């Protein structure tokens, strides 16, 4: 990939040798790569076609066998079973030629960073591809996106991993197996195309491609890069995907031939000669990879057939990304969120099919979002409505719902707010992925954007898409209607956070506010606003103003009206908002007016919670420092015993004055 700068693992001093991967030897007794003839594949292909645990179409089996370094070993190969949540995945393991395998069509490690169709402004920018769908009868992932978008995706994934996660491929063989899955999509000609793609191992595979030196244009598909000529090109994943199975095998043969032709030339001993020989030796070492291929799926519910096959593959993917460059928290939450939504859909918990499919597509936000939102009766041009729909769907409470979400999150115990929060944040932010930087909003929302009333009460999202409807919603909330209050809070919080006016509490917030503030989560700040008439006015005004591209106004206690604060930054507004939630809208500063006993107790609780949050922050600082230093030694018990005792005493004392934790069954 000529437009990508990557580290080179080569030495001008030590010669790199070709590492044997088979027992094939030449006349001199030295190992030599030899592409197996078609005659070596017939028995293996027939064996896999007749195996009861192999659920693949003919073309996928043919591609699998023809990409094998030793296809005869596939004749009689053991098909193993991997347990996933919904059933069993059937797999086989062997060694394959890396150019015969394709990169993942979407790199889920980047889920938190790409643009989604959920954003109304994403029409003119690159969007995340749709999640693969199940095949009607085979263990194959079906990708519905346009071919040009798929090509762009694989090239982008390769470019990214070459920069972000260098691999020592070439000096050594790839040692950890790549997990492959057959996929199908509509090719440029309109015909279904089958590939074997790397569900896990994109980084290693990208560097295998990168180790193949530039090749003559005639070696790859001329329809992609123009007429064949003497000029050489760097292989891209999209080049390989354009080539037929036969052309790809021929490419492997030509690379092998070119490598041995160069390595058999006499040595000169110069640094340039060693570097050039090493380049071709690394190409041969990167030409083969160990693979584990998913060849079948058996659902626990036989009547579901292949319906939950994509969910099984995704859950396996998430478990496998635990070493090397692991998923970031945002990407982990994004994958888990999609697992939850697809699981709810599979289990019929999103309603009847006419409602369930558009609900699923709207919540995931990858494709068909406009049509799905309209089908559900919502204005697709307002991203806050979709974000609120995500909040509403994932704050639902029922035994079946809670059990499924806990299983997808791989957690036990109560489904508390903090466990629901991560998936909600990642799905919700997809409504703004192309419009703005979501770093600050994500930080604010990760403090927990929920409050308990959202879970304790059943509520619905209404199509509040005009100022008049917002005013009517505010009127209903002022009368104490729970449905209206919760929806007002959800839409208002989203507007304040996404406009940068409700943020995580900053260290300088007290200085900005001129008094102490409520250093609680975004969700609890919203709950505090809903409890006051002035706060509800703020929330309703924020919805209308932010939708119109204007900053929210402030409630002037003396004028008893909303006023513009053009000299306030978002951080100033945030500090004043947090101060008002703690002290009220008319108070000048704590202690200036006599407070009620309840207010005094509330202040003490707030101070306690602030100090607790500070202690948690300091613990996170310690974790980050240990990670930075690479420290893995456990702390001595004598160093932490006092802290454990104090934490347990605090928890025990707090339980004496608090209600029991809600038990979600």
């Amino acid at each position: 990939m000529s437009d990508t700068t990557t580290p080179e693992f080569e030495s001008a001093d030590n010669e790199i040798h070709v590492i044997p991967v088979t027992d094939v030897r030449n006349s001199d007794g030295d190992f030599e790569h030899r592409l197996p003839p078609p005659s070596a594949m017939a028995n293996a292909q027939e064996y896999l076609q007749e195996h009861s645990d192999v659920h693949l179409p003919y073309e996928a089996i043919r591609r699998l066998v023809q990409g094998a370094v030793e296809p005869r070993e596939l004749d009689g190969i053991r098909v193993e079973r991997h347990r996933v949540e919904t059933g069993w995945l059937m797999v086989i393991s062997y060694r394959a030629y890396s150019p015969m395998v394709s990169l993942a069509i979407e790199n889920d490690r980047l889920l938190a960073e790409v643009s989604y169709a959920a954003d109304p402004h994403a029409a003119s920018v690159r969007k995340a591809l749709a999640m693969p769908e199940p095949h009607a009868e085979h263990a194959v992932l079906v990708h519905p996106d346009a071919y040009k978008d798929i090509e762009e995706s694989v090239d982008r994934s390769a470019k990214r991993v070459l920069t972000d996660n260098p691999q020592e491929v070439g000096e050594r063989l790839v040692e950890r197996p790549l997990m492959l899955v057959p996929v199908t999509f509509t090719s440029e000609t309109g015909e279904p195309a089958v590939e074997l793609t790397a569900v896990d191992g994109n980084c290693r595979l990208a560097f295998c491609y990168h180790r193949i030196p530039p090749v003559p244009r005639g070696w790859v598909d001329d329809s992609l890069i123009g007429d064949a000529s003497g000029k050489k090109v760097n292989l891209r994943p999209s080049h390989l995907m354009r080539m037929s199975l036969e052309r790809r095998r021929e490419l492997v043969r030509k690379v092998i031939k070119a490598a041995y032709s160069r390595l058999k030339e006499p040595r000169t001993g110069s640094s340039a000669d060693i570097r050039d020989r090493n380049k071709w030796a690394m190409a041969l070492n990167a030409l083969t990879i160990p693979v584990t291929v998913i060849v079948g799926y058996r659902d626990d519910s036989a009547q579901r057939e292949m319906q939950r096959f994509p969910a099984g593959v995704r859950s396996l993917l998430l478990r496998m990304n635990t070493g090397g460059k692991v998923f970031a928290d945002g990407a982990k939450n994004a994958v888990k969120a999609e697992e939850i939504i697809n699981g709810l859909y599979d289990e019929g918990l999103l309603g009847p099919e006419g409602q369930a499919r558009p609900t699923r597509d709207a919540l995931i936000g990858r494709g068909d979002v406009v049509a799905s939102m309209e089908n559900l009766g919502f204005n697709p041009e307002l991203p806050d409505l979709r974000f609120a729909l995500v909040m509403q769907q994932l704050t639902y409470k029922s035994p079946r719902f809670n059990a499924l979400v806990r299983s997808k999150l791989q957690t036990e115990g109560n489904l508390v707010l903090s466990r629901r929060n991560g998936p909600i944040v990642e799905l919700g932010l997809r409504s703004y992925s192309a419009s703005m930087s979501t770093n600050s909003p994500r930080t604010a929302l990760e403090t927990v954007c929920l409050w308990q009333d959202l879970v304790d009460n059943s509520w619905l999202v209404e199509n509040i898409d005009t100022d008049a409807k917002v005013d009517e919603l505010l009127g209903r909330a002022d009368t104490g209607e729970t449905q209206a209050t919760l929806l007002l809070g959800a839409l208002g919080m989203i507007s304040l956070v996404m406009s940068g006016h409700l943020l995580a509490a900053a260290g300088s917030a007290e200085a900005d506010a001129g008094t102490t503030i409520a250093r609680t989560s975004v969700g609890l700040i919203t709950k505090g606003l809903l409890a006051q008439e002035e706060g509800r006015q703020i929330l309703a005004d924020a919805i209308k103003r932010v939708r119109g591209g204007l900053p929210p106004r402030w409630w002037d206690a003396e004028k008893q009206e909303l006023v513009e604060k053009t000299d306030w930054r978002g951080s100033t507004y945030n500090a004043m908002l947090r101060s008002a939630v703690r002290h009220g809208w008319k108070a000048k500063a704590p202690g200036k007016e006599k407070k009620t006993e309840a207010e005094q107790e509330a202040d003490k609780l707030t101070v306690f919670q602030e100090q607790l949050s500070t202690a948690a922050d300091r613990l996170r600082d310690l974790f980050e420092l240990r990670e930075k230093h690479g420290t893995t030694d456990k702390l001595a018990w004598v160093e932490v015993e006092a802290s454990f005792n104090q934490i347990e005493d605090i928890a025990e004392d707090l339980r004496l004055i608090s209600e029991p934790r809600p038990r979600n069954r």
Side-chain angles (χ1 to χ4, degrees):
M1 300 172 196
S2 56
D3 53 350
T4 303
T5 301
T6 57
E8 295 294 336
F9 300 102
E10 58 184 39
S11 170
D13 300 317
N14 300 310
E15 186 173 335
I16 296 172
H17 297 285
V18 179
I19 303 171
V21 294
T22 70
D23 290 331
V24 176
R25 295 290 187 271
N26 59 22
S27 58
D28 297 327
D30 298 325
F31 163 73
E32 189 172 313
H33 275 288
R34 290 179 187 170
L35 193 68
S39 60
M41 303 170 190
N43 291 342
Q45 191 163 307
E46 182 179 351
Y47 170 78
L48 292 174
Q49 282 180 277
E50 295 179 354
H51 200 293
S52 60
D53 278 344
V54 176
H55 311 136
L56 297 180
Y58 167 78
E59 180 57 34
I61 293 176
R62 180 169 171 264
R63 182 170 292 274
L64 182 156
V65 172
Q66 295 208 20
V69 175
E70 296 183 278
R72 286 191 175 92
E73 291 190 352
L74 299 180
D75 182 13
I77 191 171
R78 180 186 176 191
V79 180
E80 298 179 341
R81 296 185 177 188
H82 280 196
R83 179 65 195 174
V84 291
E85 183 182 354
T86 55
W88 295 91
L89 291 175
M90 320 307 182
V91 303
I92 61 174
S93 299
Y94 61 98
R95 196 164 196 90
Y97 285 106
S98 55
M100 305 298 291
V101 175
S102 294
L103 287 181
I105 289 178
E106 182 62 79
N107 185 354
D108 282 345
R109 185 173 286 110
L110 309 180
L111 282 177
E113 303 171 24
V114 294
S115 300
Y116 288 86
D119 188 343
H121 300 92
S124 60
V125 300
R126 174 186 58 76
K127 293 184 290 190
L129 301 183
M131 292 295 282
E133 300 172 353
H135 192 278
E137 54 181 316
H138 299 300
V140 172
L141 300 180
V142 179
H143 287 271
D145 298 279
Y147 185 75
K148 63 179 181 62
D149 294 332
I150 289 174
E151 283 189 327
E152 191 274 340
S153 169
V154 295
D155 283 345
R156 168 169 41 89
S157 293
K159 183 177 179 180
R160 178 66 178 265
V161 299
L162 285 174
T163 303
D164 288 356
N165 196 16
Q167 303 283 304
E168 292 190 29
V169 173
E171 290 186 88
R172 299 163 54 185
L173 294 175
V174 174
E175 296 163 359
R176 188 157 56 96
L178 285 72
M179 179 65 73
L180 309 183
V181 63
V183 304
T184 185
F185 50 86
T186 303
S187 68
E188 192 177 41
T189 62
E191 297 295 322
V194 176
E195 288 283 347
L196 285 179
T197 64
V199 182
D200 177 69
N202 260 16
C203 298
R204 283 161 277 157
L205 184 56
F207 268 87
C208 286
Y209 294 166
H210 182 64
R211 286 290 166 235
I212 298 176
V215 300
R217 282 179 174 263
W219 289 16
V220 295
D221 194 341
D222 295 339
S223 67
L224 179 65
I225 59 174
D227 295 333
S229 70
K231 187 176 180 180
K232 296 186 176 182
V233 295
N234 293 287
L235 276 178
R236 295 189 180 187
S238 56
H239 292 168
L240 297 171
M241 290 181 66
R242 287 262 183 142
M243 299 169 69
S244 67
L245 182 59
E246 292 72 22
R247 289 288 302 276
R248 282 169 88 160
R249 279 181 55 82
E250 181 64 13
L251 172 66
V252 172
R253 188 188 68 79
K254 288 178 176 178
V255 170
I256 293 172
K257 183 178 179 181
Y260 281 113
S261 176
R262 175 63 184 89
L263 292 174
K264 289 176 181 178
E265 292 179 6
R267 291 176 170 82
T268 67
S270 69
S271 295
D273 179 60
I274 293 176
R275 277 195 295 266
D276 195 49
R277 298 176 69 84
N278 285 350
K279 176 178 68 176
W280 287 102
M282 286 194 292
L284 289 174
N285 289 338
L287 204 60
T288 69
I289 49 176
V291 298
T292 297
V293 184
I294 299 172
V295 296
Y297 173 69
R298 199 177 304 281
D299 200 288
D300 289 339
S301 300
Q303 67 271 21
R304 299 233 177 165
E305 298 179 332
M306 293 295 164
Q307 179 185 351
R308 296 194 289 185
F309 174 62
V313 174
R314 286 193 297 270
S315 63
L316 181 66
L317 164 67
L318 190 62
R319 292 202 305 271
M320 292 181 67
N321 279 272
T322 56
K325 188 169 179 63
V326 299
F327 276 19
D329 287 342
K332 281 183 180 179
N333 283 328
V335 174
K336 289 177 181 177
E338 294 193 8
E339 279 295 291
I340 290 169
I341 300 304
N342 278 295
L344 295 174
Y345 175 76
D346 291 340
E347 296 299 323
L349 294 174
L350 295 181
E353 180 62 23
Q355 170 190 331
R357 189 176 183 90
T359 300
R360 181 198 67 178
D361 292 343
L363 294 175
I364 290 178
R366 285 177 176 264
D368 298 325
V369 178
V370 171
S372 297
M373 291 289 286
E374 289 175 342
N375 190 302
L376 296 171
F378 298 118
N379 187 338
E381 294 301 313
L382 299 177
D384 56 349
L385 284 177
R386 180 189 161 275
F387 199 143
L389 182 65
V390 171
M391 292 179 64
Q392 182 263 329
Q393 288 289 325
L394 292 183
T395 52
Y396 187 77
K397 182 171 69 172
S398 78
R400 285 184 64 202
F401 177 94
N402 290 3
L404 185 140
V405 175
R406 282 198 300 268
S407 71
K408 296 296 183 182
L409 293 176
Q410 297 180 347
T411 186
E412 298 179 356
N414 293 322
L415 194 56
V416 294
L417 297 183
S418 59
R419 289 174 179 161
R420 297 175 186 258
N421 198 74
I424 287 175
V425 170
E426 293 308 324
L427 288 183
L429 287 178
R430 292 181 179 182
S431 291
Y432 301 87
S433 60
S435 308
M436 57 183 289
S437 170
T438 56
N439 291 335
S440 292
R442 178 177 278 107
T443 300
L445 294 167
E446 285 175 347
T447 65
V448 181
C449 64
L450 308 176
W451 56 102
Q452 193 61 43
D453 291 341
L454 293 169
V455 177
D456 291 342
N457 299 279
S458 176
W459 62 289
L460 297 173
V461 179
E462 305 167 30
N463 188 38
I464 307 297
D465 61 345
T466 65
D467 288 358
K469 290 182 180 180
V470 175
D471 291 337
E472 192 229 339
L473 185 70
L474 172 62
R476 289 161 52 198
D478 282 340
T479 66
E481 182 186 317
T482 300
Q483 156 68 19
T485 301
L486 296 179
L487 181 55
L488 175 68
L491 292 174
M493 181 208 68
I494 294 164
S495 298
L496 288 170
V497 170
M498 299 313 299
S499 64
H501 291 81
L502 177 53
L503 310 168
S508 60
E510 280 84 0
D512 287 338
T515 182
T516 53
I517 65 166
R519 286 188 167 272
T520 49
S521 69
V522 164
L524 289 180
I525 294 297
T526 305
K527 181 179 180 180
L529 293 173
L530 289 172
Q532 306 174 54
E533 182 180 355
E534 300 91 340
R536 294 191 294 273
Q537 289 277 357
I538 287 279
L539 291 167
D541 187 66
I543 299 169
K544 296 185 288 186
R545 298 271 294 184
V546 172
R547 285 177 174 179
L550 300 172
R553 293 181 292 181
W554 181 253
W555 180 259
D556 189 307
E558 294 183 0
K559 296 180 179 178
Q560 288 293 291
E561 63 180 18
L562 292 162
V563 297
E564 293 191 31
K565 291 290 187 179
T566 56
D567 57 333
W568 281 10
R569 296 171 299 168
S571 58
T572 306
Y573 191 102
N574 177 53
M576 297 301 292
L577 201 63
R578 288 175 172 276
S579 173
V581 167
R582 179 166 180 176
H583 302 297
W585 298 88
K586 295 181 181 180
K588 305 301 181 183
K592 294 293 181 67
E593 298 178 6
K594 185 171 178 58
K595 295 187 176 183
T596 65
E597 293 177 351
E599 288 173 333
Q600 293 173 17
E601 292 178 9
D603 278 350
K604 290 296 183 184
L605 176 61
T606 299
V607 171
F608 164 72
Q609 291 173 329
E610 290 171 356
Q611 295 296 325
L612 205 58
S613 296
T614 299
D617 289 340
R618 299 295 76 78
L619 182 59
R620 279 192 288 269
D621 291 342
L622 176 59
F623 273 106
E624 291 174 3
L625 196 61
R626 285 171 60 88
E627 184 176 349
K628 179 181 178 181
H629 294 162
T631 304
T632 58
D633 295 340
K634 300 290 186 182
L635 295 171
W637 175 250
V638 293
E639 292 187 69
V640 296
E641 182 178 8
S643 297
F644 271 109
N645 291 338
Q646 192 171 14
I647 291 170
E648 291 168 359
D649 288 344
I650 289 173
E652 187 175 332
D653 290 344
L654 186 58
R655 288 190 183 96
L656 296 175
I657 59 171
S658 64
E659 295 178 349
R661 174 184 290 177
R663 300 182 67 186
N664 298 328
R665 295 292 187 186

